[in-house]
């Protein structure tokens, strides 16, 4: 049997989690309570504790599905615990990075996730037969094949359709078509959405490009709340296998046909609230502080990112200032932090602390952006050290009086042309991903070849493992040997001047080569 006491906890317990609200424990900033990730050796085996009594194997496996292939599971139901083995250590690290700040829920119960001291799971198939059968079914669905197993223990049939029927229960606040697209696109390409009201309930039909993506979305999102304690998703497969969308507007959308008319004189670009602005609705705030009855695009993208953790974001009343600590003070600069945190929001100001140069304050446009950056960057290795990112008690970063900052520790980026999210409707809102070894390159100058780019990225201090041009050769994917090397390359080479008024754009990719 496994020794459970030797596992080192890296999670932080957080309550009241839902699809559009991240709440961070005040203990997150307490040295006496937080565990240091760099003291806990990563493992692709994760130990899950405080599971509810009636939890199923499928529900435990679903926790890991958004992060990659789940290769093994061991249930310890008498102890309300389980071990989950992911296909790669990198997938496990990404999963733990989410859960250091964000606690997942199973059946509305917060659970606790930590690295195991085991590097792989060796399970007795006789004692663990049901769990293995469920895992086999999930793996078959992920691989797109037909699972073959004992029907008495099989919980997942092959997905019957790429179309999901979504019902929103307890819909106290508005839910827009765009919010649904952002949340569900975490699990694959969303092709079409139709929304309607039936029996006084808001419903939607949502079509993925692949039935497997629909299966994974249903498994992970069914029963989750979009907003805090309300707007609950009820998801089933539709009997339809293809949706016929006639208009692109606030009630229906075909993402494969942007040329469709809007119909009824509605503008497809208008952000209509389905229920108007309810009294006391959970509002998101634009950078100007104005009230909005629906999620802003970045807040919705944040929800999509957080869907991997089966939780969500709320920027309401949350500071837009982050504290980054355990930095490499010999290497870090305001510019490098601006570039890295700018992947997840528009950084306004950066201040490296005068008396503690391994720490910095980073001010983003709003709380949604700050929470999104924190969920992705906390625990990442930057310049050889594991960076800690927490919400700061400060509401703004103060600029020094003129002439006093002789060490150039503070920089104001408010007017920077490099902000990724200042343009409403920018494609950058749909391309927000966790740090990964694979980078997406765009705005590549004509005539620049693969060897030129391989050499450029090798000179940033890393090893290039793979490279692939897109068909137009203006974009490419480049894979470094580690996530840390990719972070370094992004900080060094985003906005790199390639000549001819072409500045290279670099971002993290969800793809692999």
């Amino acid at each position: 049997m496994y020794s459970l006491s030797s596992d080192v906890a890296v999670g932080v317990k957080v309550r009241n989690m839902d699809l559009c609200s991240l709440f961070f424990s005040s203990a997150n900033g307490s040295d006496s309570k937080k565990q240091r990730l760099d003291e806990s050796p990563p493992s692709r085996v994760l130990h899950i504790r405080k599971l509810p009594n009636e939890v199923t194997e499928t529900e435990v496996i679903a926790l890991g599905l958004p992060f990659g292939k789940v290769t093994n599971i061991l249930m310890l139901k008498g102890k309300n615990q389980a071990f989950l083995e992911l296909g790669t250590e990198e997938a496990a690290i990404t999963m733990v990075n989410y859960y250091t700040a964000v606690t997942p829920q199973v059946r509305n119960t917060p659970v606790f996730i930590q690295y195991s001291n085991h590097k792989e799971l060796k399970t007795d198939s006789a004692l663990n037969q049901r769990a293995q059968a469920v895992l086999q079914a999930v793996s078959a669905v992920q691989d797109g094949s037909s699972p073959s197993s004992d029907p008495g223990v099989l919980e997942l049939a092959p997905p019957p359709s790429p179309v999901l029927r979504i019902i929103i229960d307890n819909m106290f606040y508005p839910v827009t078509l765009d919010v649904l697209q952002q949340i569900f696109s975490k699990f694959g390409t969303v092709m079409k959405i139709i929304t309607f009201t039936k029996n006084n309930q808001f419903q939607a039909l949502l079509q993925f490009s692949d039935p497997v993506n629909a299966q994974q979305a249903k498994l992970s999102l069914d029963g989750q709340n979009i907003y805090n304690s309300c707007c609950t998703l009820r998801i089933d497969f539709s009997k339809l296998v293809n949706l016929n969308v006639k208009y692109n507007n606030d009630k229906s959308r075909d993402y494969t046909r942007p040329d469709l008319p809007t119909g009824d004189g509605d503008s497809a670009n208008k952000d209509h609230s389905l229920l108007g602005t309810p009294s006391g609705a959970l509002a998101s705030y634009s950078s100007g502080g104005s009230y909005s009855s629906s999620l802003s695009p970045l807040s919705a993208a944040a929800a999509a990112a957080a869907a991997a953790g089966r939780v969500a974001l709320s920027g309401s009343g949350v500071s837009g200032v982050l504290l980054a600590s355990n930095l490499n003070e010999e290497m870090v600069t305001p510019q490098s932090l601006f570039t890295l945190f700018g992947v997840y929001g528009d950084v306004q100001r950066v201040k490296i602390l005068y008396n503690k140069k391994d720490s910095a304050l980073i001010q983003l446009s709003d709380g949604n952006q700050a929470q999104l950056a924190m969920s992705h960057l906390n625990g990442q290795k930057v310049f050889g050290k594991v960076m800690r990112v927490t919400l700061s008690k400060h509401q703004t970063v103060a600029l020094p009086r003129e002439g006093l900052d002789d060490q150039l520790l503070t920089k104001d980026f408010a007017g920077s042309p490099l902000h990724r999210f200042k343009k409403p409707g920018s494609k950058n809102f749909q391309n927000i991903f966790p740090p990964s070894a694979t980078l997406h390159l765009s705005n590549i100058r004509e005539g620049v070849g693969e060897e030129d780019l391989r050499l450029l990225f090798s000179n940033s201090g890393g090893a290039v493992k793979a490279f692939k041009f897109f068909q137009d050769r203006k974009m490419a994917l480049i894979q470094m040997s580690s996530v840390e090397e990719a972070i370094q390359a992004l900080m060094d080479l985003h906005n790199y001047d390639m000549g001819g008024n072409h500045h290279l754009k670099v971002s993290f990719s969800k793809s692999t080569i």
Side-chain angles (χ1 to χ4, degrees), residues 4 34 59 83 98 117 152 165 182 201 219 274-275 301 323 340 364 410-411 424 471 505:
L4 303 179
K34 72 180 181 183
E59 289 171 301
F83 287 94
Y98 273 108
N117 64 325
R165 184 183 64 142
Q182 290 290 353
Q201 272 192 315
L219 194 60
L274 293 168
L275 296 181
L323 173 65
L340 179 57
L364 292 103
T410 306
K411 192 161 183 182
Q471 194 167 3
K505 305 301 179 191

mmCIF file of all heavy atoms in Angstrom, residues 4 34 59 83 98 117 152 165 182 201 219 274-275 301 323 340 364 410-411 424 471 505:
data_model
loop_
_atom_site.group_PDB
_atom_site.id
_atom_site.type_symbol
_atom_site.label_atom_id
_atom_site.label_comp_id
_atom_site.label_asym_id
_atom_site.label_seq_id
_atom_site.Cartn_x
_atom_site.Cartn_y
_atom_site.Cartn_z
ATOM 1 N N LEU A 4 0.892 7.580 2.312
ATOM 2 C CA LEU A 4 0.239 8.832 1.948
ATOM 3 C C LEU A 4 0.862 10.023 2.647
ATOM 4 O O LEU A 4 0.851 11.128 2.142
ATOM 5 C CB LEU A 4 -1.252 8.757 2.297
ATOM 6 C CG LEU A 4 -2.001 7.597 1.643
ATOM 7 C CD1 LEU A 4 -3.457 7.599 2.085
ATOM 8 C CD2 LEU A 4 -1.909 7.675 0.141
ATOM 9 N N LYS A 34 1.961 28.402 3.215
ATOM 10 C CA LYS A 34 2.127 27.944 1.839
ATOM 11 C C LYS A 34 3.324 27.021 1.700
ATOM 12 O O LYS A 34 4.334 27.187 2.344
ATOM 13 C CB LYS A 34 2.235 29.145 0.891
ATOM 14 C CG LYS A 34 3.532 29.906 0.976
ATOM 15 C CD LYS A 34 3.519 31.063 -0.016
ATOM 16 C CE LYS A 34 4.822 31.824 0.041
ATOM 17 N NZ LYS A 34 4.832 32.973 -0.847
ATOM 18 N N GLU A 59 -15.590 10.763 -12.373
ATOM 19 C CA GLU A 59 -15.467 12.134 -11.869
ATOM 20 C C GLU A 59 -14.021 12.475 -11.527
ATOM 21 O O GLU A 59 -13.569 13.606 -11.754
ATOM 22 C CB GLU A 59 -16.363 12.318 -10.643
ATOM 23 C CG GLU A 59 -17.838 12.325 -10.979
ATOM 24 C CD GLU A 59 -18.721 12.285 -9.740
ATOM 25 O OE1 GLU A 59 -18.603 11.316 -8.946
ATOM 26 O OE2 GLU A 59 -19.526 13.208 -9.566
ATOM 27 N N PHE A 83 -5.326 8.247 -6.432
ATOM 28 C CA PHE A 83 -4.108 8.614 -7.156
ATOM 29 C C PHE A 83 -4.459 8.669 -8.640
ATOM 30 O O PHE A 83 -5.130 7.778 -9.159
ATOM 31 C CB PHE A 83 -2.996 7.583 -6.933
ATOM 32 C CG PHE A 83 -2.382 7.649 -5.563
ATOM 33 C CD1 PHE A 83 -2.849 6.835 -4.541
ATOM 34 C CD2 PHE A 83 -1.345 8.526 -5.293
ATOM 35 C CE1 PHE A 83 -2.290 6.882 -3.278
ATOM 36 C CE2 PHE A 83 -0.773 8.578 -4.032
ATOM 37 C CZ PHE A 83 -1.246 7.760 -3.026
ATOM 38 N N TYR A 98 -2.454 25.115 -11.880
ATOM 39 C CA TYR A 98 -3.809 25.641 -11.723
ATOM 40 C C TYR A 98 -4.259 25.529 -10.262
ATOM 41 O O TYR A 98 -4.812 26.453 -9.679
ATOM 42 C CB TYR A 98 -4.796 24.853 -12.585
ATOM 43 C CG TYR A 98 -4.918 25.357 -13.999
ATOM 44 C CD1 TYR A 98 -4.379 24.630 -15.041
ATOM 45 C CD2 TYR A 98 -5.572 26.550 -14.285
ATOM 46 C CE1 TYR A 98 -4.489 25.073 -16.350
ATOM 47 C CE2 TYR A 98 -5.686 27.000 -15.591
ATOM 48 C CZ TYR A 98 -5.146 26.254 -16.615
ATOM 49 O OH TYR A 98 -5.249 26.699 -17.910
ATOM 50 N N ASN A 117 4.700 11.170 -4.097
ATOM 51 C CA ASN A 117 6.124 10.828 -4.126
ATOM 52 C C ASN A 117 6.386 9.622 -5.034
ATOM 53 O O ASN A 117 7.519 9.211 -5.224
ATOM 54 C CB ASN A 117 6.655 10.544 -2.714
ATOM 55 C CG ASN A 117 5.995 9.333 -2.087
ATOM 56 O OD1 ASN A 117 4.816 9.080 -2.301
ATOM 57 N ND2 ASN A 117 6.741 8.586 -1.301
ATOM 58 N N GLY A 152 -20.980 -4.015 -17.759
ATOM 59 C CA GLY A 152 -21.417 -3.823 -16.387
ATOM 60 C C GLY A 152 -20.656 -2.724 -15.671
ATOM 61 O O GLY A 152 -21.153 -2.159 -14.709
ATOM 62 N N ARG A 165 -26.666 19.610 -26.192
ATOM 63 C CA ARG A 165 -27.802 20.437 -25.779
ATOM 64 C C ARG A 165 -27.493 20.944 -24.376
ATOM 65 O O ARG A 165 -27.221 20.155 -23.459
ATOM 66 C CB ARG A 165 -29.093 19.628 -25.763
ATOM 67 C CG ARG A 165 -30.321 20.482 -25.439
ATOM 68 C CD ARG A 165 -31.572 19.649 -25.347
ATOM 69 N NE ARG A 165 -31.499 18.702 -24.244
ATOM 70 C CZ ARG A 165 -32.538 18.376 -23.451
ATOM 71 N NH1 ARG A 165 -33.706 18.954 -23.629
ATOM 72 N NH2 ARG A 165 -32.409 17.486 -22.506
ATOM 73 N N GLN A 182 -16.575 30.782 -25.415
ATOM 74 C CA GLN A 182 -15.273 30.850 -24.740
ATOM 75 C C GLN A 182 -15.092 29.695 -23.768
ATOM 76 O O GLN A 182 -14.019 29.096 -23.689
ATOM 77 C CB GLN A 182 -15.141 32.188 -24.001
ATOM 78 C CG GLN A 182 -14.983 33.393 -24.917
ATOM 79 C CD GLN A 182 -13.642 33.416 -25.606
ATOM 80 O OE1 GLN A 182 -12.776 32.604 -25.312
ATOM 81 N NE2 GLN A 182 -13.462 34.325 -26.538
ATOM 82 N N GLN A 201 -36.936 28.438 -20.143
ATOM 83 C CA GLN A 201 -35.529 28.164 -19.804
ATOM 84 C C GLN A 201 -34.628 28.511 -20.981
ATOM 85 O O GLN A 201 -34.947 28.195 -22.130
ATOM 86 C CB GLN A 201 -35.322 26.687 -19.461
ATOM 87 C CG GLN A 201 -35.542 26.347 -18.001
ATOM 88 C CD GLN A 201 -35.027 24.951 -17.695
ATOM 89 O OE1 GLN A 201 -35.267 24.017 -18.451
ATOM 90 N NE2 GLN A 201 -34.348 24.809 -16.583
ATOM 91 N N LEU A 219 -18.275 15.842 -19.991
ATOM 92 C CA LEU A 219 -17.734 15.188 -18.803
ATOM 93 C C LEU A 219 -17.203 16.206 -17.794
ATOM 94 O O LEU A 219 -17.398 16.065 -16.585
ATOM 95 C CB LEU A 219 -16.605 14.242 -19.225
ATOM 96 C CG LEU A 219 -16.106 13.212 -18.218
ATOM 97 C CD1 LEU A 219 -17.221 12.277 -17.803
ATOM 98 C CD2 LEU A 219 -14.960 12.414 -18.823
ATOM 99 N N LEU A 274 -28.913 38.705 -22.866
ATOM 100 C CA LEU A 274 -30.107 37.901 -23.118
ATOM 101 C C LEU A 274 -31.236 38.228 -22.163
ATOM 102 O O LEU A 274 -32.396 38.035 -22.454
ATOM 103 C CB LEU A 274 -29.744 36.418 -23.025
ATOM 104 C CG LEU A 274 -28.808 35.937 -24.121
ATOM 105 C CD1 LEU A 274 -28.285 34.564 -23.793
ATOM 106 C CD2 LEU A 274 -29.498 35.930 -25.457
ATOM 107 N N LEU A 275 -30.881 38.706 -20.985
ATOM 108 C CA LEU A 275 -31.911 39.003 -19.993
ATOM 109 C C LEU A 275 -31.919 40.473 -19.612
ATOM 110 O O LEU A 275 -32.501 40.847 -18.614
ATOM 111 C CB LEU A 275 -31.672 38.175 -18.720
ATOM 112 C CG LEU A 275 -31.771 36.663 -18.867
ATOM 113 C CD1 LEU A 275 -31.532 36.008 -17.531
ATOM 114 C CD2 LEU A 275 -33.132 36.265 -19.394
ATOM 115 N N ALA A 301 -12.532 34.696 -21.791
ATOM 116 C CA ALA A 301 -11.374 33.858 -22.104
ATOM 117 C C ALA A 301 -10.758 33.314 -20.822
ATOM 118 O O ALA A 301 -10.281 32.182 -20.778
ATOM 119 C CB ALA A 301 -10.340 34.666 -22.883
ATOM 120 N N LEU A 323 1.696 40.472 -7.060
ATOM 121 C CA LEU A 323 3.038 40.429 -6.476
ATOM 122 C C LEU A 323 3.734 39.175 -6.990
ATOM 123 O O LEU A 323 3.270 38.056 -6.758
ATOM 124 C CB LEU A 323 2.971 40.397 -4.943
ATOM 125 C CG LEU A 323 4.309 40.178 -4.228
ATOM 126 C CD1 LEU A 323 5.255 41.354 -4.472
ATOM 127 C CD2 LEU A 323 4.105 39.950 -2.733
ATOM 128 N N LEU A 340 6.142 39.002 -20.378
ATOM 129 C CA LEU A 340 5.589 37.721 -19.932
ATOM 130 C C LEU A 340 4.152 37.875 -19.437
ATOM 131 O O LEU A 340 3.246 37.150 -19.877
ATOM 132 C CB LEU A 340 6.467 37.126 -18.835
ATOM 133 C CG LEU A 340 5.992 35.795 -18.250
ATOM 134 C CD1 LEU A 340 5.839 34.731 -19.336
ATOM 135 C CD2 LEU A 340 6.954 35.307 -17.167
ATOM 136 N N LEU A 364 -2.049 45.252 -13.897
ATOM 137 C CA LEU A 364 -2.753 45.010 -15.146
ATOM 138 C C LEU A 364 -4.001 45.878 -15.212
ATOM 139 O O LEU A 364 -4.334 46.579 -14.263
ATOM 140 C CB LEU A 364 -3.093 43.529 -15.286
ATOM 141 C CG LEU A 364 -1.856 42.641 -15.481
ATOM 142 C CD1 LEU A 364 -1.495 41.921 -14.195
ATOM 143 C CD2 LEU A 364 -2.071 41.635 -16.606
ATOM 144 N N THR A 410 11.278 50.958 -11.859
ATOM 145 C CA THR A 410 9.856 51.149 -12.122
ATOM 146 C C THR A 410 9.666 51.632 -13.553
ATOM 147 O O THR A 410 10.419 52.491 -14.023
ATOM 148 C CB THR A 410 9.249 52.181 -11.151
ATOM 149 O OG1 THR A 410 9.527 51.778 -9.814
ATOM 150 C CG2 THR A 410 7.741 52.282 -11.338
ATOM 151 N N LYS A 411 8.657 51.069 -14.241
ATOM 152 C CA LYS A 411 8.405 51.511 -15.608
ATOM 153 C C LYS A 411 6.907 51.594 -15.860
ATOM 154 O O LYS A 411 6.147 50.711 -15.447
ATOM 155 C CB LYS A 411 9.059 50.561 -16.619
ATOM 156 C CG LYS A 411 9.072 51.129 -18.029
ATOM 157 C CD LYS A 411 10.097 50.451 -18.924
ATOM 158 C CE LYS A 411 10.107 51.104 -20.307
ATOM 159 N NZ LYS A 411 11.054 50.454 -21.221
ATOM 160 N N PRO A 424 -10.959 45.863 -29.079
ATOM 161 C CA PRO A 424 -12.120 44.987 -28.849
ATOM 162 C C PRO A 424 -12.270 43.970 -29.980
ATOM 163 O O PRO A 424 -12.118 44.295 -31.153
ATOM 164 C CB PRO A 424 -13.304 45.969 -28.826
ATOM 165 C CG PRO A 424 -12.696 47.299 -28.504
ATOM 166 C CD PRO A 424 -11.323 47.279 -29.114
ATOM 167 N N GLN A 471 0.927 27.367 -43.820
ATOM 168 C CA GLN A 471 0.941 27.347 -45.282
ATOM 169 C C GLN A 471 1.391 28.683 -45.880
ATOM 170 O O GLN A 471 2.107 28.718 -46.876
ATOM 171 C CB GLN A 471 -0.448 26.978 -45.809
ATOM 172 C CG GLN A 471 -0.446 26.599 -47.286
ATOM 173 C CD GLN A 471 -1.749 25.935 -47.703
ATOM 174 O OE1 GLN A 471 -2.658 25.798 -46.923
ATOM 175 N NE2 GLN A 471 -1.836 25.527 -48.961
ATOM 176 N N LYS A 505 5.812 38.398 -33.529
ATOM 177 C CA LYS A 505 4.864 38.207 -32.435
ATOM 178 C C LYS A 505 4.994 36.776 -31.922
ATOM 179 O O LYS A 505 4.957 35.832 -32.713
ATOM 180 C CB LYS A 505 3.428 38.468 -32.891
ATOM 181 C CG LYS A 505 3.211 39.844 -33.539
ATOM 182 C CD LYS A 505 3.563 40.978 -32.608
ATOM 183 C CE LYS A 505 3.356 42.327 -33.270
ATOM 184 N NZ LYS A 505 3.940 43.433 -32.460
#
